[in-house]
Amino acid sequence: ETVRLDVHGMSCTSCAMRVEKRLNQLDGVEASVNYATEKATVHVPEGTDHQVLLDAVAATGYEATLPDAHRGHGDHAGHEGLHGAASMRRRAVVSAVLSLPVLVLSMVPATQFTGWQWVALALATPVVTWGAWPFHRATATNARHGAATMDTLVSVGVGAAYLWSLWALFFGGAGMLGMRMEWSFTGGGSHEIYLEVAGVVTTFVLAGHYLEANAKKQSSAALRALMDLGAKTVTLLRDGREEQVPIDDVAVGDVFVVRPGETIATDGEVVDGASAVDESMLTGESVPVEVGEGDAVTGATVNVGGRLVVRATAVGSDTRLAQMARLVEEAQEGKAEVQRLADRVSAWFVPGVIALALLTFAGWLVIGGTLTQAFVASVAVLIIACPCALGLATPTALMVGTGRGAQLGILIKGPQVLESTRRIDTVVLDKTGTVTTGEMRVVDVAPAPGVEIGRLRALAAGVEHASEHPVARAVAALVDQPLPVTDFANHPGMGVSGVVDG
């Protein structure tokens, strides 16, 4: 049995690795957790209580829910939280506005007026406390479970720079009015403050998280757009009367009407009528398909010809459109080999960086450096390592790739497939309609002997103007002002007839 969980509160790939490791410790469970999609795909023995899985995720400090409990395909709006795009954007903008003056004051001695350091403290404090709060909160949560993530590096680095500055201002002489800070590569002593480091690093990391969250949001929007192709209402035939109902009220066996130009509500079989159906969203083929009584039609395709009466054969999650959306979701949830490599590196990355920072601090003291020099060097190690591009970029790129493909009508079966496309050197297209504009037009007219071509165009366009068939529209476009038609009749599968100009 395969169970899919939505996991909330993860802020980096290290978080996903912890959740995945915890789930895989359960008997008979094989789990894969994708940070980019915030989903876990769990293979469990038949009959396993799903609450056991939810409790296992909760034990690592995160929240998990079953997707059907609160939302449909691709809807991430309900659990944006502290790491959502809107929250990150707001914090990044405010932090940037407050940090810029601090950066200028700290780095340009000519701007350092009397008492400037206290103004810098006032501006930097909201950035370090409120702006960086998602990182501090995640660090505290992970610490309670004996773990460290990318957020730990941000929180410790920013916090160290800020706390050092507080110490220097209140106890180290940096708070004296008239104090000036000059350029230095190694730190100048206990009067040096690093508020600009705390503010600017917080701003940059927030901006990076916003871009990442926004990319995930756009990819989810592509999946929602795929689902939105389906009809929202349907005209049911009940006791010979037409009744408009929401699509959710349709059951297998219900008979419904599809008029020209309408979207077919769900998968079904034509029981009456004949028409042409645009199946380009399903097949990529721009030429409409002729359908008649007994033919199968697919939900979300468009009826471009006559009136159809259809009996529903599949509804809801059993439709082909839902299966397409599920395929895209599964593709986004999977992991390519390069992503698994990134996850393995990320698992050792954070503790490695923290250990390296401690060694750097101790090394400077051993070789005779000052406490200030040791502090500056160790904080630099933490700060530089904060945005782990390998851990963040890989899953996000795979997710955006599959989501954008779905938006353009290209279904990618999995990240392994996307990764393997780098070896493609030849592309073969089996349908000419796939690479054309999708709009029919007349390219040549061959009149019979003695028939004037202009007259033939006018007569043909006049009778076809009354038809809604795609081929008819192309013929009707031959003239600007079609002649009026009388006695018009549509002959399914054969064409149309009518009287034009007597």
Side-chain angles (χ1 to χ4, degrees):
E1 180 187 2
T2 300
V3 180
R4 288 182 174 80
L5 304 176
D6 294 328
V7 184
H8 314 293
M10 296 189 299
S11 57
C12 68
T13 49
S14 297
C15 306
M17 286 293 290
R18 283 181 51 222
V19 176
E20 183 175 303
K21 183 178 179 180
R22 181 69 182 86
L23 287 170
N24 283 324
Q25 289 174 348
L26 300 175
D27 290 338
V29 171
E30 182 181 340
S32 174
V33 180
N34 191 312
Y35 162 63
T37 59
E38 297 181 339
K39 292 181 182 293
T41 302
V42 190
H43 301 286
V44 300
E46 198 71 34
T48 300
D49 185 2
H50 295 172
Q51 188 59 44
V52 174
L53 304 177
L54 303 182
D55 292 341
V57 175
T60 62
Y62 305 99
E63 178 195 359
T65 56
L66 295 168
D68 291 341
H70 62 277
R71 68 174 182 262
H73 286 282
D75 183 4
H76 290 267
H79 279 84
E80 266 210 343
L82 289 176
H83 288 272
S87 173
M88 285 296 173
R89 181 178 183 274
R90 183 168 58 251
R91 292 175 191 272
V93 170
V94 173
S95 297
V97 171
L98 295 176
S99 297
L100 183 59
V102 178
L103 178 65
V104 173
L105 288 171
S106 301
M107 304 301 290
V108 184
T111 63
Q112 295 171 0
F113 53 86
T114 302
W116 69 271
Q117 65 270 48
W118 297 103
V119 173
L121 177 65
L123 292 171
T125 297
V127 178
V128 173
T129 53
W130 175 78
W133 176 247
F135 312 126
H136 300 323
R137 183 176 181 272
T139 298
T141 300
N142 290 319
R144 285 198 299 271
H145 293 85
T149 66
M150 304 295 176
D151 290 325
T152 306
L153 300 180
V154 180
S155 182
V156 171
V158 169
Y162 182 75
L163 291 174
W164 173 277
S165 300
L166 283 182
W167 183 86
L169 284 169
F170 288 101
F171 306 108
M176 295 178 60
L177 297 180
M179 188 274 285
R180 296 287 186 273
M181 272 203 330
E182 302 293 338
W183 273 94
S184 173
F185 287 101
T186 58
S190 61
H191 69 283
E192 297 282 358
I193 58 176
Y194 299 97
L195 294 171
E196 81 282 0
V197 173
V200 172
V201 166
T202 298
T203 300
F204 274 114
V205 176
L206 284 170
H209 275 257
Y210 163 68
L211 294 174
E212 176 199 357
N214 195 49
K216 289 158 62 177
K217 187 176 180 181
Q218 289 177 352
S219 185
S220 298
L223 194 56
R224 285 196 297 274
L226 181 63
M227 292 303 297
D228 287 343
L229 292 173
K232 301 298 181 290
T233 60
V234 58
T235 305
L236 289 184
L237 273 181
R238 289 177 173 169
D239 300 326
R241 291 183 296 108
E242 294 185 3
E243 180 181 348
Q244 195 92 356
V245 301
I247 186 63
D248 293 337
D249 293 346
V250 179
V252 173
D254 284 347
V255 176
F256 59 94
V257 176
V258 188
R259 292 183 174 81
E262 291 183 346
T263 299
I264 296 174
T266 191
D267 296 0
E269 179 185 341
V270 177
V271 295
D272 187 32
S275 180
V277 175
D278 179 0
E279 296 183 345
S280 57
M281 58 77 62
L282 183 68
T283 64
E285 179 60 69
S286 58
V287 178
V289 177
E290 300 288 342
V291 297
E293 189 173 334
D295 291 333
V297 290
T298 303
T301 56
V302 180
N303 176 20
V304 295
R307 178 179 182 270
L308 292 174
V309 179
V310 180
R311 179 184 292 109
T313 57
V315 297
S317 60
D318 295 328
T319 63
R320 294 185 71 176
L321 179 64
Q323 291 168 7
M324 288 167 60
R326 198 176 306 125
L327 184 66
V328 176
E329 275 201 333
E330 289 172 358
Q332 292 182 342
E333 290 166 16
K335 291 184 180 181
E337 188 56 38
V338 66
Q339 186 174 343
R340 295 189 183 279
L341 172 63
D343 288 348
R344 287 195 295 271
V345 171
S346 297
W348 293 98
F349 184 79
V350 175
V353 168
I354 293 175
L356 185 60
L358 293 174
L359 284 174
T360 302
F361 185 83
W364 272 91
L365 295 179
V366 168
I367 64 175
T370 65
L371 187 64
T372 303
Q373 291 172 327
F375 169 78
V376 171
S378 59
V379 168
V381 172
L382 290 172
I383 296 302
I384 289 171
C386 283
C388 178
L390 180 65
L392 299 180
T394 307
T396 305
L398 290 168
M399 180 180 181
V400 172
T402 52
R404 181 59 176 158
Q407 204 171 28
L408 297 174
I410 303 171
L411 293 183
I412 300 170
K413 194 169 184 179
Q416 299 87 351
V417 176
L418 188 63
E419 186 181 30
S420 68
T421 56
R422 71 183 188 275
R423 295 191 294 269
I424 292 176
D425 57 13
T426 305
V427 177
V428 179
L429 301 172
D430 67 334
K431 298 177 182 177
T432 56
T434 306
V435 291
T436 57
T437 62
E439 296 180 1
M440 291 187 174
R441 63 188 180 90
V442 177
V443 295
D444 190 25
V445 178
V451 178
E452 199 269 319
I453 190 169
R455 176 68 174 169
L456 176 60
R457 286 172 178 263
L459 293 175
V463 71
E464 293 286 22
H465 184 71
S467 173
E468 294 171 333
H469 195 281
V471 176
R473 287 199 293 267
V475 176
L478 286 172
V479 297
D480 294 330
Q481 294 293 331
L483 297 171
V485 59
T486 58
D487 298 332
F488 176 83
N490 182 32
H491 306 284
M494 299 179 65
V496 295
S497 62
V499 178
V500 179
D501 197 23

